[in-house]
Amino acid sequence: MNNPFIYLRALKHAEQTVFCVQDGQKTYYDPQFNKAMAFSSGQQVKRSILQTLCDELNVPMAPITFNFNVTKKKELENKEPWSPCDPTYIDQLLGGWMRAGDGPTKKRRSPLSISAMRPIHPLLGGISKENITFDRSDRPNQHPVNVRMADSDKLMTEEEIEQFLQDNDRTLSRRTWIPDQARTTGLFVYDVAIDLRTLFCVTTQQFEPEVSTEMIEKLKNAGWTLSKNVFGECLVMPKEQREKIIPALAEALIEWRVTSNQARTFSLMETLAIAISDNANTLAGAIRAKLIDDGDKPKAKPIVDENAGADTFITLACANYIVTESESASAINNAKKKLIDVMMAFDYENQCE
């Protein structure tokens, strides 16, 4: 690869799951096919990747400071959280940061650009709805019931409850109905662009600083070396640290699953195919769908194309959904090795020579 960027597209299968809770499931509208489509936001995908990376390295995520103001009405007002702006935390180095309201604003653009995970085609991802219950009616004696009259904090006694039910010909159930719960199933893709120029480098210029002068000295003392990239003078993470992080990053980019506390209903979210290239356009051809005119009801056929210009890796699970001939049990490991080899080969210390 001659390009300082790595582009990755992966195809996953999701089964009867929820990516993010918002009216049951986040959706967006596709105007061409007149459909609501489920998606996992780029921010959620990024958070899941960074969490997987930290878990793989067995290191903590950076501590975030949550700020509040007390208003004149004695109410708590949320203010902007603060990142430590410390690249020795791997989720900060790769995830980026912005911190304002505490001296000069510090900003670092993440070297990972990550898309939303969305259906590979509007006709290949669906949403279903169901009514669910929170039900404890099978053992009513084990589960108490509280009843309050409107605009009152006082609990009614059991005798008062019984009298109320008798007078009003009512019953109390230990069952709560939760209607219209959305689930999604289908074939989903996400894209990642990795900027190798900034992956392990932090700029030292102070006109629009990434880090403070104190942090620059801390990094120098920790073995980060002074160098230059196309953005100017920078500090580069020591090679021995990079060599520990790169395999874990390759693992996280492919093996992540939705893990935020907004997700529920477990799905394997198995990876079906991976395409890697230094040319973003080849990814769109390597993993794609083809619209088929079938009278009044068009169909879409998923395609994994090994001759589209990208390095393509097809897993055994892919054969469940796409006709393939070269699926392999080692596909995921081979894709990780490709990512590792490219990231290891880049000359981070001598970018401008």
Side-chain angles (χ1 to χ4, degrees), residues 85-256:
C85 306
D86 186 345
T88 61
Y89 289 101
I90 189 59
D91 62 309
Q92 289 271 287
L93 178 68
L94 301 187
W97 59 71
M98 179 172 178
R99 177 165 172 169
D102 169 9
T105 298
K106 292 181 279 294
K107 295 183 291 184
R108 172 171 169 79
R109 183 183 294 275
S110 170
L112 306 179
S113 296
I114 301 172
S115 76
M117 186 169 68
R118 70 282 180 198
I120 188 174
H121 189 279
L123 299 178
L124 294 173
I127 298 173
S128 60
K129 288 192 175 183
E130 61 180 344
N131 296 329
I132 63 176
T133 62
F134 183 82
D135 191 349
R136 297 296 183 271
S137 58
D138 56 333
R139 292 181 174 85
N141 294 332
Q142 296 181 9
H143 306 285
V145 173
N146 290 337
V147 179
R148 294 179 174 85
M149 298 302 291
D151 302 320
S152 173
D153 291 332
K154 183 181 178 181
L155 290 174
M156 295 175 67
T157 66
E158 286 192 17
E159 292 78 10
E160 290 172 329
I161 294 173
E162 289 177 6
Q163 188 63 50
F164 175 85
L165 297 176
Q166 185 176 1
D167 293 345
N168 293 276
D169 194 22
R170 299 291 301 275
T171 61
L172 282 177
S173 174
R174 290 164 175 80
R175 181 187 300 113
T176 300
W177 291 98
I178 309 173
D180 290 332
Q181 295 300 293
R183 303 285 186 265
T184 186
T185 299
L187 303 181
F188 293 81
V189 291
Y190 67 94
D191 302 308
V192 180
I194 307 171
D195 187 345
L196 296 171
R197 301 170 301 176
T198 60
L199 187 61
F200 296 112
C201 301
V202 176
T203 181
T204 60
Q205 62 88 12
Q206 293 295 299
F207 294 107
E208 290 185 294
E210 284 191 0
V211 292
S212 64
T213 54
E214 293 80 10
M215 182 58 65
I216 290 172
E217 292 305 313
K218 174 184 174 180
L219 296 176
K220 287 180 179 178
N221 292 333
W224 290 53
T225 57
L226 199 62
S227 184
K228 284 185 179 180
N229 59 19
V230 295
F231 305 104
E233 189 177 84
C234 62
L235 287 170
V236 182
M237 175 181 274
K239 182 178 181 181
E240 59 271 19
Q241 293 182 34
R242 300 198 305 264
E243 290 179 345
K244 292 179 181 178
I245 293 168
I246 286 173
L249 177 56
E251 176 87 11
L253 288 168
I254 294 173
E255 298 285 12
W256 70 274

Side-chain angles (χ1 to χ4, degrees), residues 51-82:
Q51 184 66 66
T52 304
L53 173 62
C54 289
D55 292 345
E56 185 71 16
L57 292 170
N58 196 29
V59 297
M61 299 189 85
I64 303 299
T65 301
F66 288 87
N67 295 304
F68 297 87
N69 278 356
V70 178
T71 67
K72 292 181 179 179
K73 296 181 179 180
K74 304 299 182 182
E75 296 175 345
L76 286 175
E77 178 186 19
N78 270 314
K79 305 299 288 184
E80 184 178 349
W82 285 348

